[in-house]
Amino acid sequence: INMAHQLRRLCRTPLLQSLLTTPSATFAPISLRHAAPSLSAVTVRFASHKGKKGKKSGKSKGPVASFSLELCPLDLPKIEEKISGQVNHLRIEYGSIRTGEASPALLDNIKVNMAGATFPLKQAAQVSVKNNNTLIVSCFDPDTAAAAFEAIKEADVAPNPVREDLTIKVQMPLLTKEYREQIAKKAKEQLEKSKQALRKARSHTLGQLKKQGDGLSKDELKAMDAYIGALYDQGSAEAEDLYQAKHTEVLSN
């Protein structure tokens, strides 16, 4: 990996900037946020140890360790991008959960399979709003209409979509209390899947660090482990924030 290129990418990533500029973050506020080309190390501050009764030992700050970015065997910007990608996937999923009037965005996640290819519904048809509860999907040919109709049924966004030649009518369920509780439960399930994916990726990444960390000191490995772990913790926290906002939106409208 080209070191200068990795540093520039790392400095621009919003997740790392957030971690390094938050007062309560694990890391000391070093200058990654300034995108300095000469930056070559990351400093990690570990939490203070607690006493037997759960109280801090008296020190307000825990021990500090550093590691050289050049020596890190893993591509940190790529790791951050994958974490952000997982969080953004959850954001897109939540965008397709209805909490108000019917909107074409409710069908954005639907993928159409046709002629051995898969593509978004919005690329295969035009989606418009007929009224507060009804969407109209207008396709360009019979084959596309058939494939789109099957995709909408499999997506289970509406109980009984109706196809008429090149047009598909999608009647969205009424937003009753029971339906809102169902979609709130669905949002929770989507959160758990996202957090599970982050935990699995975290375990794999830290395993790769141990395998590829030959020649690094114990302190360097510990600092890298803590740094990467905190990236995943931040991603999980962002996913939790998305869920809390969607849960409130679903049940309060």
Side-chain angles (χ1 to χ4, degrees), residues 56-132:
K56 291 184 178 180
S57 58
K59 297 181 179 180
S60 60
K61 298 180 180 180
V64 172
S66 299
F67 69 89
S68 168
L69 289 170
E70 187 174 13
L71 293 179
C72 184
L74 304 181
D75 187 341
L76 295 177
K78 186 175 181 180
I79 291 170
E80 193 273 343
E81 287 170 6
K82 288 183 176 180
I83 295 171
S84 295
Q86 182 63 49
V87 175
N88 286 334
H89 176 71
L90 181 65
R91 182 178 288 109
I92 292 171
E93 285 189 319
Y94 282 170
S96 66
I97 293 180
R98 182 189 177 202
T99 56
E101 296 182 357
S103 164
L106 298 175
L107 307 184
D108 279 355
N109 285 347
I110 296 179
K111 301 293 189 296
V112 178
N113 297 307
M114 192 174 66
T118 301
F119 42 88
L121 175 65
K122 60 185 177 182
Q123 293 182 7
Q126 293 181 341
V127 182
S128 58
V129 178
K130 182 178 181 180
N131 55 48
N132 290 348

Side-chain angles (χ1 to χ4, degrees), residues 166-219:
L166 302 183
T167 300
I168 304 168
K169 183 170 71 173
V170 183
Q171 187 76 35
M172 307 302 293
L174 296 176
L175 290 174
T176 62
K177 179 181 178 181
E178 291 75 15
Y179 180 69
R180 289 182 183 278
E181 290 174 349
Q182 288 178 12
I183 56 179
K185 181 179 179 181
K186 180 180 179 181
K188 180 67 172 179
E189 292 172 351
Q190 290 171 325
L191 169 68
E192 292 306 322
K193 287 182 180 179
S194 182
K195 293 172 73 172
Q196 183 179 19
L198 287 170
R199 287 193 295 268
K200 184 177 180 180
R202 173 179 180 157
S203 178
H204 174 76
T205 302
L206 295 180
Q208 291 297 108
L209 175 63
K210 291 180 181 179
K211 289 180 181 179
Q212 300 177 31
D214 294 341
L216 296 173
S217 70
K218 183 178 179 180
D219 286 345

